[in-house]
Amino acid sequence: MRYLSLSWKMLILLLSILLVLITWFTSLSLLHMNQQFNRQQAQRKAQGQQYFQLYNQSVDQQLLSWMQSFADLQNLHEAAHFGDFSHALALQADSLQMNYAVQGFSLFYDGQVQLRQGDIAQDDAHALVQQTLLEQRPISNIHCDKHCTKSLSLPLLNSHGDVAILVLETTLTDVLFSLHRTLSTEVAILKRRPGDTLAQQFAVLQASDHEQMRRIAQYVPDDMSVDTILRDGVIIFFDNSSYFLHLIPLNQQAEETHFLLMVEDVTQGMQDKQRYEQQIFTVAGSCFIAVLLLILYITRRISRRILKLAAALPLLAQRRYAEFRQQSLGKPGMFQDELNTFNDSVLRLSHELEHLDLQLADNTASLERMAMFDTLTGLANRNMLQYQIQQALASLAQRTGYVGLLFLDLDKFKTVNNSRSHAIGDQLLIETSQRLRAVTSAAEVVCRFGGDEFVIVLSHLDSPSQIEELAVSVMAQFTTPFTLEHVAVTLSASIGISYTNNPQYGGDELIRQADLAMYQAKNNGRNCYVVFNEKMSSDLAARLQLEVELRQAISQQQFSLSLQPQVDLRSGRLFGFEALLRWQHPTRGLVPPDEFISVLEQTQLIVDVGYWVFERSCQRYLDLMGLGLHDVIIAVNVAADQFLQPDFALRLADILQKYQLSASHFELELTESTLVSHVSQTLDAMHQLKLMGFRFAIDDFGTGYSSLNYIKQMPADTIKIDKSFVMAMLESSSDYQIIVSTIAMVQKLGLQVVAEGVESLAHLQLLQQYHCDLAQGYYLSRPIPETQLADFVREQVLQQNWPAALLRRPEH
């Protein structure tokens, strides 16, 4: 790109603005001067018209006064005829010629000429007499032929009331002379005639100076139109003089042929105008040059200062601060301006940069140390982890052995963090780090990998079994609940283990393997450790693919409900249904819940799906009410992540309000692990929901903690015996005793007992024998797809074909 300095850009811009302003001012001044000159000439033209009319009227008044006075002197009003008056008038011819320039006169009576004296146009006189008789007043008229004359008529009366018309004719010489003398202009009367040029179109009939008029006619432009001269006038130049020509019609008629020409010498005015124009251009040019020099001086000064600073600025990047300040100093001027302010700011910037550079040098070491450790827990961070792994792997080249990693993730930490506060979450992480330090030696490096993930690096191992021993010790640290703010929080950890004895192994690969093993531990139910094997990579890929397909299932609405009936074993009637989630995959077909429920829970998708299940259950309950079933219960499974949401109760209330249903129609099923992991929070949520009217069931009882101490604290309504005990109770005496004792203990607490997995009449009869309250299983009914629910109710329940036929009371 072409370079154009800032000074030139400013100069061009300012000069352009200045040039526009000067041009505008000069044009405005010249326009004003021309307008003033034109106004003056218009005034002169108006004066000419006024004086011409004034002198013309003055002649009329003089002649009329003389005629009226003469008639009075002759006592015409007492005369019986006009003979004596006519004789006396003839004697006044010389006097009229001498005093009033009267060329002739006539006296008309009864259509005849009584007296005629001098040269007078008879046709014009007769026309004037007729008009005077018609209007009965004096009439003045100008007519031109070879020269212009003025005719004036006056009606006269005798004693009998007869009317005679006296017509006088005089020249316009006196009028032109008076006009020439008063306005100091040459005047002439022109007659328009056919011609090619403007000079040929006019003939001079009378003029104050015929020779001057002839010369002027030679300089009138041939392309000038008569209308233009009439409207604007015209200026002509000859003999170093300037003349302005005004053309005025003698009579304002449609087709005027006679004009009054006024020729004014405007030489002095035009010279004044030219001098004024020269002064304007001189002043404008002088101002332009002066401002040009001033702008050039200012812009060059700015450019020199900026270029000087630009040349010195690279010294700042080289940290040569003193040299920069030496080069950027400028000479102090008489007045301070923005350049001085800018220069001072740049100098202050150099001092501040130098100070920051010193601070940076002082803090670099401490920042490097901080970059290697986690600020919250004080443990090593990822940067230190990478460094320690590389050091440990490098040491394998000098001695045989193993390097191992424990990748630890806190189970359900996100739920605790969201349901309580981030401050509680931070305290949990700090105490976790302290417990990990307690079970590791100085040779083992504990790192916080991120969030709630921790990594322990073990070097100089003789056997991989040492890693598993440490994993067991770590898991033991989580058996004791965390006590924070007088609240007990129970956490567990899932641990992945990887190890190698190859010094060329990559640290990132070792971390990846431990991470995969940790995810496998979560899939195995959490609170355990798993050692990496190659099959986990393919399992992870399959799980990730399943997660993608689950997200598609949610967006494409591939989920549906199936409802498994629950039977009251005492009355033999339908008690309710359990809502079960089903996934109809477009290519895999019906996917078993065991394959995708755990993935929903791990990816937090279970929260949105759980609300969908509850809303779908409300829709199905409306269908049941439409069929006449108003007192059944629908049990809905609730995952821990969903149940511990802060707005869980509010969301359920909104859904119930949407469908105008009562919470008493629904039973929320919670697993023992959900109840025991967050006891205080779970109790608060359960009591809130209980006040809304919800029932509670503890699902999979017997597979978890099975603590009656917890059950007594909770507002539960139902205990569900896991199907694994029911299905094995006929073959296993221990399972049989568990069921019998559970039924007895739970019923003593005033709760209902539901037995899952009833698949034969023998199971059913044994449960009836020990007074189990409710049962569900394949023997009673398989889960019913929601699309078939209405048919099942109409054909089986309402027709009383079910479940009475399936119930057989045992014989006593």
Side-chain angles (χ1 to χ4, degrees), residues 134-317:
L134 180 64
E135 298 183 12
Q136 291 294 307
R137 65 177 181 85
I139 295 178
S140 175
N141 189 17
I142 297 174
H143 57 88
C144 299
D145 187 9
K146 294 180 180 179
H147 60 274
C148 289
T149 59
K150 178 180 181 63
S151 299
L152 180 65
S153 64
L154 177 68
L156 301 173
L157 296 175
N158 60 12
S159 61
H160 297 293
D162 298 326
V163 179
I165 304 300
L166 176 61
V167 178
L168 281 75
E169 189 172 282
T170 183
T171 65
L172 294 178
T173 302
D174 290 344
V175 175
L176 294 180
F177 178 75
S178 298
L179 194 60
H180 165 70
R181 184 182 57 189
T182 302
L183 297 179
S184 300
T185 60
E186 300 296 334
V187 293
I189 295 178
L190 306 180
K191 180 180 180 180
R192 190 173 184 181
R193 63 188 179 184
D196 296 331
T197 65
L198 189 63
Q200 294 173 352
Q201 292 180 17
F202 288 98
V204 180
L205 300 182
Q206 288 177 266
S208 59
D209 187 343
H210 281 274
E211 180 62 24
Q212 183 77 350
M213 292 300 171
R214 185 188 62 78
R215 295 177 63 197
I216 288 174
Q218 297 176 359
Y219 291 94
V220 177
D222 293 336
D223 58 349
M224 183 69 66
S225 68
V226 176
D227 293 337
T228 302
I229 299 176
L230 283 169
R231 183 181 67 250
D232 302 325
V234 64
I235 299 177
I236 60 174
F237 305 93
F238 67 91
D239 293 343
N240 297 321
S241 299
S242 304
Y243 298 91
F244 199 100
L245 276 59
H246 300 284
L247 197 61
I248 305 170
L250 286 182
N251 292 315
Q252 302 296 327
Q253 300 175 358
E255 296 182 0
E256 181 60 55
T257 58
H258 295 84
F259 301 89
L260 175 66
L261 177 65
M262 294 173 53
V263 180
E264 183 180 0
D265 188 347
V266 293
T267 302
Q268 185 63 41
M270 293 300 294
Q271 290 176 352
D272 293 342
K273 180 181 175 184
Q274 290 177 355
R275 282 195 300 271
Y276 184 68
E277 290 177 351
Q278 291 175 356
Q279 290 174 358
I280 290 177
F281 284 118
T282 300
V283 171
S286 301
C287 291
F288 183 80
I289 293 173
V291 175
L292 168 63
L293 295 176
L294 179 61
I295 293 174
L296 185 60
Y297 169 75
I298 295 174
T299 54
R300 291 294 299 274
R301 176 176 174 268
I302 294 173
S303 297
R304 285 196 299 268
R305 295 289 295 275
I306 292 177
L307 289 174
K308 185 176 181 180
L309 285 174
L313 280 174
L315 298 175
L316 289 179

Side-chain angles (χ1 to χ4, degrees), residues 366-586:
S366 59
L367 288 175
E368 289 176 350
R369 289 192 298 272
M370 291 172 61
M372 304 300 285
F373 294 90
D374 178 57
T375 56
L376 177 65
T377 62
L379 299 178
N381 60 15
R382 285 193 184 191
N383 297 329
M384 179 62 80
L385 172 64
Q386 293 287 349
Y387 175 77
Q388 292 294 337
I389 293 176
Q390 295 301 327
Q391 291 295 105
L393 291 173
S395 67
L396 293 178
Q398 282 75 37
R399 61 183 298 277
T400 59
Y402 294 88
V403 172
L405 291 185
L406 266 71
F407 198 110
L408 179 148
D409 182 87
L410 300 180
D411 298 328
K412 304 294 184 181
F413 175 78
K414 185 176 181 181
T415 302
V416 176
N417 203 37
N418 291 338
S419 61
R420 295 184 181 275
S421 67
H422 292 288
I424 295 294
D426 289 346
Q427 289 299 317
L428 282 174
L429 294 175
I430 293 173
E431 187 165 339
T432 298
S433 66
Q434 293 172 352
R435 295 189 183 189
L436 293 178
R437 281 198 185 103
V439 295
T440 54
S441 64
E444 295 161 347
V445 180
V446 183
C447 304
R448 184 186 177 195
F449 192 74
D452 60 334
E453 297 175 334
F454 298 85
V455 176
I456 302 177
V457 182
L458 298 92
S459 56
H460 310 303
L461 297 177
D462 296 325
S463 169
S465 60
Q466 293 177 264
I467 308 175
E468 296 188 45
E469 292 173 1
L470 179 60
V472 173
S473 301
V474 169
M475 292 179 62
Q477 292 294 314
F478 292 91
T479 56
T480 303
F482 294 82
T483 303
L484 302 172
E485 296 183 357
H486 308 292
V487 176
V489 178
T490 302
L491 283 180
S492 61
S494 298
I495 301 175
I497 296 175
S498 63
Y499 60 88
T500 183
N501 59 358
N502 182 3
Q504 303 300 322
Y505 214 67
D508 291 338
E509 181 62 19
L510 203 61
I511 294 174
R512 187 189 70 85
Q513 291 178 356
D515 190 18
L516 289 176
M518 182 271 294
Y519 273 108
Q520 186 60 48
K522 287 187 175 295
N523 291 336
N524 292 349
R526 300 185 177 89
N527 195 25
C528 62
Y529 71 86
V530 171
V531 181
F532 172 80
N533 58 64
E534 291 300 332
K535 184 176 179 298
M536 292 180 186
S537 296
S538 59
D539 291 344
L540 177 63
R543 194 192 71 83
L544 293 176
Q545 178 62 31
L546 184 61
E547 180 181 339
V548 172
E549 293 177 355
L550 280 171
R551 296 184 186 276
Q552 293 176 350
I554 295 173
S555 62
Q556 298 174 7
Q557 299 183 355
Q558 296 174 5
F559 289 117
S560 64
L561 288 187
S562 288
L563 295 101
Q564 188 171 29
Q566 294 177 339
V567 177
D568 187 336
L569 297 182
R570 299 180 185 273
S571 65
R573 298 174 60 85
L574 174 67
F575 177 80
F577 298 90
E578 180 181 2
L580 302 173
L581 183 64
R582 294 293 182 260
W583 179 19
Q584 186 67 36
H585 194 278

